[in-house]
Amino acid sequence: MSAGNDIAIDVKGLTKSFGGREVVHDLSMQVKRGSIYGFLGPNGSGKTTTIRILCGLLTPDSGEGTCLGYDILRDAEKIKRQVGYMTQRFSLYQDLSVRENLEFVARLYGLTDARGAARDMIKRLGLSGREDQLAGELSGGWKQRLALGACTLPNPKLLLLDEPTAGVDPKARRDFWNEIHALAAEGLTVLVSTHYMDEAERCHEIAYIAYGHLLTHGTVDEVIAKSALATYTVTGELNGLAAELAGRPGIDMVAPFGTSLHVSGRDLAALEASIAPWREKSGLHWQKSHPSLEDVFIELMGRSKDNFQ
Amino acid sequence: MSTIRTTDAIGEIRGRFGFWRRSYAMMAKEFIQLRRDRVSFAMIVAIPVMQLLLFGYAINTTPHHLPSAVLLQEDSDLARSVLKALENTAYFRFIYEVHDVDEFDNLLKSGKVLFGVEIPRGFERAVRRGDKPALLVAADATDPVAASSALGSLGMIVQTALAHDLYIGAPPAPPFEIRAHARYNPAAESRLNIVPGLVGTILTMTMLIFTALSVTREIERGTMESLLSMPIKPVEVMIGKIVPYILVGFIQAFLIVNIGVFLFGVPVLGNLFLLAALSTLFIAANLAIGYTFSTIAQNQLQAIQMSFMFFLPSILLSGFMFPFAGMPNWAQYVGECLPLTHYIRIVRAIMLKGASMPNLRFDALALAALMLVAMTIAVTRFRRTLD
């Protein structure tokens, strides 16, 4: 427990392969207690595998660490009692009702008043009136609320949420994040994987993982600062500009954002040299700006593709 | 013009052969999937081979060397000659020699022997005096097929036995008679044999399927991931999945036995509570085996296939369809590993012979052992992680 009591997850050198393909490579991370930690990365980058290792569903090939102070290799059973895991695919019983699903979970965790706990959770989730509906008949947003309710029911200390908002409408997504912040405020640690940039910005800290490698981590501002990416925002007559700029020396990325264009590069001098001919053009307005988190991630993704594929 | 006509023609040909193309596409896809499904592939070979071997080698409807006992109340040369003559028919094999009537009855009741020969005290002297004493051959006729050919051979015995011993040449009248007594099912009614066997066969089929799907279903529906992330142990999952179906099986058994009694007139001579208790054990054993398949199978189809592969020998080698004693040794050993074999003995013994627990101790213990073995395999095979 050298890491102290304020660290919920502390793992070093996690590696996991499936059929000779390395899915997680030498991954180390620390998550503070009570924080919301965002886990970002493209599809197939190893996010789900890492989460499954943390909650004892997979055994790492190598590496070590603790989760809530328990050894992830030896104390999987103890970890399971205090961790709520929400799977990417809805994994409660479709042929049980909302209430029956919650009571089942409550009983598995040995809650003394399973009925009462389920009743309270139904109220908290706003599912009153739907408690006897079969889980399989709920819409995507309600299924997701129910799944969150089921994994918070036994009062875990750590929540592992694997792309919890995939395929959910914006209103439900916002409600969901409000709920997660409320839970974190109560002292719960949350590790959440996502593809959405706006969700990443709601996290206290984020980590970016691609091809099994953890590429960067920190607060959103730290991650942007660390990227050393220089960005210019162009507005005005943009017709054809993106195609003209792409691929020029110093320009690593050109991305349209509504009526503007983000032109970014790792080397500021080279970037400025390349865009110089267009800066004087009338009808175009150039402004040096900060890269967005998305700029940083897309750049990281492009770079990691070169390195690991 | 000509180019247009050509493309039209091609279109027409495509239209006409579209049926075959699409059927071919479907066929090709099915073949690819079949080739990837190793278990189905194995079934294609295993089912016919297994059927043929079982039918060809193991099944014998005129069984020989049937296990028999002799109640020897007199040890005389004549008695020995009679036994020798019985063995020479190749139908009887004496594996027990007892001197007590109760012991003799218990051997028949428990199914350890199919025949019992009683040589009464003073047999040889009575023969020499010309009293024409009777020699009792008691047959367990619960399975009429197994007993009939052996019983039919008895008529010849007297002559052959005497030819060696007492007289030279055929006597004018046989000096003693053999009285065959078909116990438990004197009229050789096959329904008395089939109905109790059906109790076990039907239960095997339904119970296996119930639990064989239980774990694979969780995996296929994705609920296993949640379940494994929660604090539940493999033994607890197993108990939770088996116990509800014990009740289901019990209701089934109750139904079948009632239909057997009231519709087919099959008696229940033994204790109903004993029948209920041992049926519950049998149901649990089958559920445990089905559950074991479920922990081994990759998907629901494989689980069904495994159940089927288990069900087939259960029907053929358990003594349900064909006489158990008539099978070669290897087939009998296989049969002893099937719960149905033991249950069929139990249910026939209780219903038709009025057997009690001491007669059935071996089969009850065998059922319990098979259940525990299956459960142990299931618990160790149960994957606690998604690795």
Side-chain angles (χ1 to χ4, degrees), chain A residues 65-304:
Chain A
T66 58
C67 193
L68 299 169
Y70 297 113
D71 190 294
I72 56 164
L73 298 173
R74 288 197 313 269
D75 298 328
E77 293 309 310
K78 286 178 189 151
I79 293 173
K80 283 179 185 176
R81 290 188 178 278
Q82 304 198 3
V83 171
Y85 170 44
M86 181 170 159
T87 53
Q88 197 170 333
R89 183 177 150 197
F90 183 72
S91 61
L92 292 172
Y93 295 93
Q94 313 248 10
D95 48 355
L96 291 190
S97 72
V98 169
R99 192 217 324 268
E100 288 158 349
N101 265 305
L102 291 172
E103 284 178 1
F104 172 69
V105 173
R107 287 194 191 108
L108 274 195
Y109 281 88
L111 300 193
T112 42
D113 180 17
R115 275 164 192 272
R119 207 184 310 118
D120 294 345
M121 185 50 78
I122 288 166
K123 222 173 279 170
R124 178 168 182 167
L125 294 172
L127 276 165
S128 300
R130 291 175 190 265
E131 57 262 55
D132 292 321
Q133 208 172 332
L134 297 186
E137 292 170 359
L138 295 174
S139 69
W142 285 113
K143 270 187 187 160
Q144 169 239 37
R145 286 192 75 76
L146 172 60
L148 180 68
C151 68
T152 53
L153 188 63
N155 294 317
K157 295 197 174 121
L158 171 66
L159 274 186
L160 300 173
L161 311 175
D162 194 1
E163 290 185 23
T165 56
V168 167
D169 70 54
K171 168 75 169 62
R173 221 143 64 82
R174 174 162 293 184
D175 292 346
F176 189 80
W177 274 91
N178 288 342
E179 180 75 25
I180 289 179
H181 272 275
L183 290 167
E186 291 170 20
L188 201 66
T189 310
V190 182
L191 177 75
V192 53
S193 76
T194 178
H195 287 300
Y196 299 111
M197 292 305 136
D198 61 316
E199 292 190 347
E201 281 162 358
R202 289 166 187 261
C203 296
H204 298 127
E205 250 185 276
I206 53 172
Y208 188 81
I209 172 171
Y211 308 102
H213 295 247
L214 194 128
L215 299 179
T216 183
H217 66 95
T219 63
V220 172
D221 292 338
E222 282 168 7
V223 167
I224 292 176
K226 263 193 262 183
S227 77
L229 202 63
T231 300
Y232 275 87
T233 306
V234 207
T235 49
E237 312 263 328
L238 299 173
N239 290 343
L241 183 64
E244 287 173 41
L245 290 173
R248 296 196 172 264
I251 299 178
D252 293 313
M253 204 170 56
V254 182
F257 278 82
T259 57
S260 66
L261 206 60
H262 285 201
V263 184
S264 315
R266 262 162 274 160
D267 183 345
L268 180 61
L271 173 70
E272 287 181 334
S274 279
I275 62 173
W278 283 276
R279 289 191 75 169
E280 306 309 321
K281 260 195 173 172
S282 62
L284 286 180
H285 177 67
W286 290 82
Q287 194 184 8
K288 188 157 191 302
S289 61
H290 292 290
S292 70
L293 193 58
E294 187 168 308
D295 291 328
V296 173
F297 285 150
I298 290 174
E299 196 270 331
L300 275 173
M301 206 165 142
R303 190 144 41 106
S304 57

Side-chain angles (χ1 to χ4, degrees), chain A residues 16 48 52 55-59 77 80-81 83 85 87 89-93 95 104-105 108-109, chain B residues 217-234 236 241 384-387:
Chain A
K16 179 80 185 171
T48 300
R52 285 176 174 173
C55 64
L57 279 180
L58 288 174
T59 334
E77 293 309 310
K80 283 179 185 176
R81 290 188 178 278
V83 171
Y85 170 44
T87 53
R89 183 177 150 197
F90 183 72
S91 61
L92 292 172
Y93 295 93
D95 48 355
F104 172 69
V105 173
L108 274 195
Y109 281 88
Chain B
R217 188 166 44 215
E218 299 253 7
I219 292 170
E220 274 182 32
R221 292 192 184 169
T223 51
M224 193 47 119
E225 196 180 350
S226 257
L227 194 63
L228 288 179
S229 75
M230 293 194 267
I232 186 162
K233 296 189 178 68
E236 296 159 353
K241 290 211 172 257
R384 310 180 77 160
T385 63
L386 298 168
D387 284 287

